[in-house]
Structure formats: C-alpha cells, structure tokens
Amino acid sequence: MYVLNLATRRQFGLLLGAGLVSPLAPKPLLAHDGPHRLEVEISKFRFSPATLTLRQGDSVIWTNRDIAPHSATHTDGDWDTGEIPKDGSAEIRFDTVGKFAYFCVFHPAMKAEIIVESQ
Amino acid sequence: MFRTPFVIALISTMASPLMAEEKMNDLEIAHTAYTAGQLDIRYAHLALAVSENEAVRDFAETMIRDHTAVNVAAGALIGELNVTPQDNALSQALVSGAAAKRAEFMALSGEAFDCAYATNELGYHQIVNQTVGEKFIPWATVPQLKALLSDALVTFKAHEGHAEAMVAGLKCTS
Ligand SMILES: [Cu+2]
C-alpha cells in the first residue's frame, strides 16, 4: 500500500482541474481510502453545503442548477472555476491544507467555504 | 363585461406607469417577461458604454449574462410549445418607459449616470419582481411557463439584492 508523501505532494500546491495536473505528478494515493470527489450544488443562488470539509487531494465538483451562470471563485484569487452554465459542472482538486473562502464572481452575495484538512 | 382589476403599485422611479389591470394570458405573460429581460439587457449595454465604475460595470455584465440565459430558456420553451408570444399593453408600456429612461440617461455621465442607472435598476427589478411574483406566476396556466417564471424570479430577486448593494455602495445623494 502506498502512503502519501506529504512533503512531495505539497510541492504541487493547488492543482486546478484534472486537465492541469502534470502527467509527471505521482497519482495521489491517499492514506485514507483514496481521493474523494465531493459535490457542491449551486441552486437558487446558494452553494450547498455552504461549508465543505475535505482531505488534501480530494476534489470538489460544483454543479449549477440555476438558469443563471455562476462561478466558484477563491476570494484571494488562487483558484476559479470560471463560468458554470446551467446543468454544467466544474472540478477543482485541493492539495493545500487551509480554509478557503469563495464566492460567485457574478453574484458577489453568494459566499461559501472549503476547509482542507491534512491526511 | 367586467373583469376584476389587478392593479400593480407604481414605483416612483419608473418613467411610465406599469400596470397590469387585467388578467393576462400565458402568451401575453411570456411576451412581457421576455420584453422586461430584453429591456434590462439594453440598459446594461448603455451602462457598459458610459460607466467607468467597476461595480456598475460588473452589475451590467451580470444583467446581460443572466437575462440572456433566462431569455434563451424562454425562447426554448416557446419553441417547444410551438406558440407565439402576444404583444400587449403592459409590454408596450415597458418599452416606451424604458425608451424615455434611456433618453434621460444618455444626457448623463460619471457619478450622475451611475446613480441614475443603479437607482433605476433597483426600482425596475422591484416592480418586475412584484409583477412576476404576485401576478404572472399565479396567472400562468402552462406548468412549464409557471416553472420558468419561478426560476427567473429567483434570479431577478438576486439582482434586486445586488442592485440594492450597488446603490448603497455608490452613496448617491437623494
Ligand atoms: Cu452566481
């Protein structure tokens, strides 16, 4: 069984979207039962759940159920899903421990947060 | 023959009275809802041409993005039902009221424009939301139209809140 080397993983920082993951990066095999993909639904101009806690290496998939396009955009600007149209999804992997406040760049009153815990 | 009058309260910032005195049918409701969205898109294009305020420009871009999305959905429903929306007195009042407002706005620039645009957006969304929520949704008989109007109302209410924040942020006098 592989155990994640945190020192190595941290160097990769935050990887935005599966397409941006370097092919040279080791496949993240995590000490718990592997990386998870957690879902946040955007509906009626709310992120649900508003607070989501996950482990390093997990991904979040935002799915928009509203007619209006939305985004999930890190408040400090480190990551951004870009525009998510109705019934569209966007995925971001979180490899850095911390608390990340985010909002919808089109509707700034929509706010939520992601908490990334270490393994 | 008399029909029960349905009177919609006037908002002082509106250039012309917006009244739905008589119950409208589905095709009229669809026409007016679509028209209201198109007019807000037109206001937004004017704002993007004139305003240099970031909050105002962001708001205008959101109006274009969202009202376009709602009207694309409305167009798809109209196609699916194979119907033609009906022009009506309320749509016409909205169009002429907006034309008068645009003429007024075009004489303005800078903060005066921003405040006029922002205040009008707040008033416009308030009256449209009241009309959609209290009249159009109860009046609509086609379930898909009712559902679309309900989804649209969630969007327009978010816009109303956004407009409120924009007006507060601009610190307009009066
Ligand atoms: Cu949004």
Side-chain angles (χ1 to χ4, degrees):
Chain A
M1 174 173 144
Y2 293 90
V3 176
L4 181 74
N5 178 334
L6 290 177
T8 307
R9 292 293 312 132
R10 279 207 188 94
Q11 292 168 2
F12 291 98
L14 192 64
L15 302 174
L16 302 186
L20 295 182
V21 176
S22 160
L24 298 175
K27 210 172 178 218
L29 290 169
L30 304 186
H32 58 304
D33 52 349
H36 292 177
R37 300 168 91 204
L38 296 107
E39 307 210 1
V40 173
E41 189 178 70
I42 312 174
S43 176
K44 300 195 185 309
F45 286 68
R46 282 201 173 83
F47 295 104
S48 175
T51 298
L52 181 65
T53 303
L54 46 92
R55 300 289 189 94
Q56 270 182 296
D58 288 348
S59 298
V60 178
I61 301 170
W62 285 269
T63 301
N64 178 18
R65 297 299 175 201
D66 284 336
I67 295 177
H70 296 295
S71 80
T73 304
H74 182 220
T75 306
D76 296 339
D78 289 344
W79 48 269
D80 185 4
T81 59
E83 182 172 327
I84 311 173
K86 179 176 165 58
D87 294 328
S89 294
E91 180 171 352
I92 288 180
R93 200 171 92 190
F94 290 86
D95 287 336
T96 305
V97 170
K99 197 168 163 178
F100 302 98
Y102 69 95
F103 70 116
C104 170
V105 77
F106 309 135
H107 311 105
M110 296 172 62
K111 290 174 183 157
E113 66 178 356
I114 302 283
I115 297 169
V116 183
E117 295 181 337
S118 62
Q119 292 304 311
Chain B
M1 184 188 99
F2 290 95
R3 291 204 212 168
T4 316
F6 290 84
V7 179
I8 288 169
L10 299 183
I11 293 276
S12 58
T13 55
M14 293 296 297
S16 81
L18 172 59
M19 299 229 223
E21 291 178 354
E22 288 193 343
K23 190 166 175 173
M24 291 160 64
N25 68 36
D26 291 310
L27 297 175
E28 291 170 327
I29 290 169
H31 190 280
T32 300
Y34 191 92
T35 301
Q38 291 305 109
L39 291 172
D40 203 44
I41 289 170
R42 249 183 114 171
Y43 281 132
H45 280 294
L46 180 60
L48 289 177
V50 175
S51 180
E52 287 169 9
N53 180 293
E54 201 185 338
V56 170
R57 297 183 65 85
D58 286 349
F59 179 88
E61 277 172 3
T62 289
M63 292 310 104
I64 293 171
R65 188 183 302 105
D66 289 0
H67 285 289
T68 300
V70 169
N71 277 2
V72 164
L77 178 59
I78 287 160
E80 186 190 315
L81 299 174
N82 195 21
V83 292
T84 306
Q86 263 171 32
D87 197 3
N88 59 81
L90 185 54
S91 287
Q92 286 157 16
L94 277 174
V95 168
S96 58
K101 271 284 166 198
R102 281 198 306 274
E104 217 177 281
F105 291 169
M106 278 193 279
L108 304 172
S109 62
E111 276 175 33
F113 174 88
D114 293 339
C115 286
Y117 171 71
T119 307
N120 186 62
E121 282 300 300
L122 178 54
Y124 189 74
H125 281 92
Q126 281 168 340
I127 191 93
V128 168
N129 290 347
Q130 194 184 349
T131 307
V132 172
E134 293 171 19
K135 310 290 170 189
F136 288 180
I137 293 174
W139 286 347
T141 64
V142 176
Q144 299 100 308
L145 177 60
K146 229 184 234 292
L148 178 60
L149 289 168
S150 303
D151 276 357
L153 185 58
V154 174
T155 305
F156 302 163
K157 280 191 170 160
H159 294 172
E160 186 180 326
H162 196 162
E164 223 160 9
M166 173 172 60
V167 169
L170 288 171
K171 297 182 173 66
C172 304
T173 48
S174 90

